[in-house]
């Protein structure tokens, strides 16, 4: 496991505990430099597949972890079956 993957894994465990997640989704750390451009985002949560991706290429670890936390909040929203509009979900995350 690469160092950034270890850091992300430990941070996910910490956040999961704080957010009281029912379960932890799969986390894919993307090292492809074009990921953020192709997805117009540094992260992507896929609730139907119980996975999220986070872009790591050329980013500081604190920026990566901020994205991880954001995507985990989306996962929590999914666990709560949140029905608020997407704009509100983004604001909350």
């Amino acid at each position: 496991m690469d160092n950034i993957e270890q850091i992300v894994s430990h941070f996910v465990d910490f956040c999961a505990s704080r957010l009281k997640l029912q379960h932890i989704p799969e986390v894919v750390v993307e090292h492809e430099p074009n990921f953020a451009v192709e997805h117009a985002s540094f992260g992507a949560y896929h609730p139907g597949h119980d996975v999220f991706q986070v872009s790591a290429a050329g980013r500081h670890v604190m920026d990566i972890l901020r994205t991880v936390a954001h995507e985990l909040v989306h996962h929590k929203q999914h666990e709560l079956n949140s029905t608020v509009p997407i704009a509100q979900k983004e604001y909350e995350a």
Side-chain angles (χ1 to χ4, degrees):
M1 185 180 285
D2 186 69
N3 187 41
I4 191 64
E5 277 84 358
Q6 289 177 328
I7 293 168
V8 167
S9 178
H10 290 298
F11 186 68
V12 166
D13 290 342
F14 170 80
C15 290
S17 172
R18 297 287 189 199
L19 290 169
K20 297 179 176 37
L21 297 179
Q22 295 171 15
H23 72 282
I24 299 173
E26 178 185 357
V27 181
V28 178
V29 178
E30 299 287 351
H31 295 280
E32 172 59 45
N34 291 327
F35 176 86
V37 173
E38 291 172 1
H39 292 85
S41 181
F42 290 113
Y45 175 58
H46 309 284
H49 299 285
D50 198 32
V51 63
F52 74 85
Q53 298 164 280
V54 59
S55 175
R59 298 179 70 204
H60 189 278
V61 66
M62 293 306 295
D63 291 328
I64 296 166
L65 297 181
R66 187 178 307 114
T67 302
V68 168
H70 178 92
E71 299 307 331
L72 285 171
V73 170
H74 282 314
H75 178 70
K76 180 67 176 186
Q77 291 167 332
H78 180 72
E79 285 186 346
L80 295 172
N81 294 316
S82 177
T83 58
V84 299
I86 190 71
Q88 181 65 27
K89 287 182 181 179
E90 283 301 317
Y91 177 76
E92 289 174 357

